[in-house]
Amino acid sequence: MTDPHNPWQNHLLGALPTAEYEHLSPHLELVAMPQGGVLYEAGDEVRYAYFPTTCIVSLLYVMESGAPAEIAMIGNDGMLGVSLFMGGGTTPNRAVVRSAGYAYRLRAHLLIQEFSRFGGYRNGALHNLLLRYTQAMLTQIAQTAVCNRHHLVEQQLCRWLLLSLDRLPSNELILTQELIANMLGVRREGITEAAGKLQQAGLINCRRGHITVLDRSGLEARACECYHVVKTESDRLLPLHAQLTSRIFLQKSAPVKSESLSSRHISR
C-alpha cells in the first residue's frame, strides 16, 4: 500500500531539486499535529523547523490581557522556524496547531546546516526557497494587519477561509466560530452574523464545529483585495516546480521516523 504521508506534500520540500531533497529527507520526522497543540511559546528557543503537510499552524500574538490574534497561518505552503535561519533564534509569537493533521520536522541545527551548506547566496536551492518564502509570509502578515484595520468582518472571514483552503487538501475546515473569532480578534457575534450571510448565499455550509466551502469562486468575489494580494505574491515567489508533482515516483523504501505528539503541549 502506498504511504499516504510524504515530505513532498509540503510545497517547499516538494519544490527542492532531487539531490537536495534526497540529502534532507532522511532527517525528516513525521509528527502528528493535534488541534490546540503548542509548538512553541513566545520567547522559547526554537528547536525544530516544521514543514506542515495536512495541518495548519497559526502564529499568534498574545496580549498582556491574554487576548490572542492571528498574524499568519502556515500550512503545506511553508514552514515554521524562520527565526532559525534569520539569526533570531526566538520569536515573540505563539505557534498553535489550528487544524489538525501532520507535519515533518527537522532539528534546528540540521536546518541551519542545510541552509548554509553551499556557502553563499544563490548557491543553494533551500537557501533561496526559504528566503522567498519569508518574503511571502511577510506579505501575509502585513496584509492581515491592513485587512483587520480597514475591512468588514465578512470580508475578513472570506479572506481567512480562502487562505485556509489554499493550505489544506480539502474544502472542509474543522473548527468553531469562536476559534475563528479569536484568530481574527473580533467578537464571536460578528463571525456568527458574517458566516450566516455566507451560508444564506450558498457559499458555505456551517454545522457544529465544521465549515464546508461550497462555492469558492463566490467566496473570492466577496473577499476584499487582501486575499488576492497575498495569493498573487505567494504564487510569484513560490511557483510549484515540476519536482512537486514527480515526488510520487520517488518514495523511499525506508520508512520515515514518526512520532505522535500530545494533544496539548507538543514536545519542543
Side-chain angles (χ1 to χ4, degrees), residues 82-192:
V82 166
S83 62
L84 292 172
F85 58 84
M86 296 297 287
T90 65
T91 74
N93 309 312
R94 173 187 292 171
V96 180
V97 179
R98 189 236 292 166
S99 294
Y102 287 86
Y104 285 86
R105 73 179 186 183
L106 181 68
R107 291 188 180 275
H109 74 277
L110 293 174
L111 178 76
I112 296 170
Q113 176 181 307
E114 187 67 17
F115 183 78
S116 307
R117 186 159 67 97
F118 291 92
Y121 181 62
R122 298 187 183 280
N123 290 328
L126 182 67
H127 186 286
N128 296 332
L129 200 59
L130 292 184
L131 290 180
R132 292 201 304 274
Y133 171 69
T134 301
Q135 182 173 337
M137 188 167 71
L138 288 173
T139 299
Q140 184 191 159
I141 293 171
Q143 209 64 39
T144 296
V146 170
C147 190
N148 291 349
R149 174 65 178 84
H150 291 288
H151 293 141
L152 300 174
V153 172
E154 182 180 329
Q155 293 174 308
Q156 294 179 45
L157 178 59
C158 290
R159 169 187 58 82
W160 192 87
L161 290 173
L162 288 166
L163 288 176
S164 297
L165 285 185
D166 288 344
R167 289 156 177 79
L168 287 175
S170 75
N171 66 337
E172 184 176 12
L173 298 158
I174 302 177
L175 40 77
T176 65
Q177 292 183 8
E178 183 176 1
L179 177 60
I180 298 174
N182 287 337
M183 295 296 102
L184 293 178
V186 300
R187 296 170 64 246
R188 179 183 174 180
E189 292 80 3
I191 294 297
T192 299

Side-chain angles (χ1 to χ4, degrees), residues 1-8 21 246-254:
M1 181 180 294
T2 302
D3 184 355
H5 301 294
N6 285 280
W8 51 260
Y21 175 85
S246 68
R247 293 303 180 202
I248 283 181
F249 308 104
L250 297 176
Q251 296 179 31
K252 301 289 186 180
S253 57

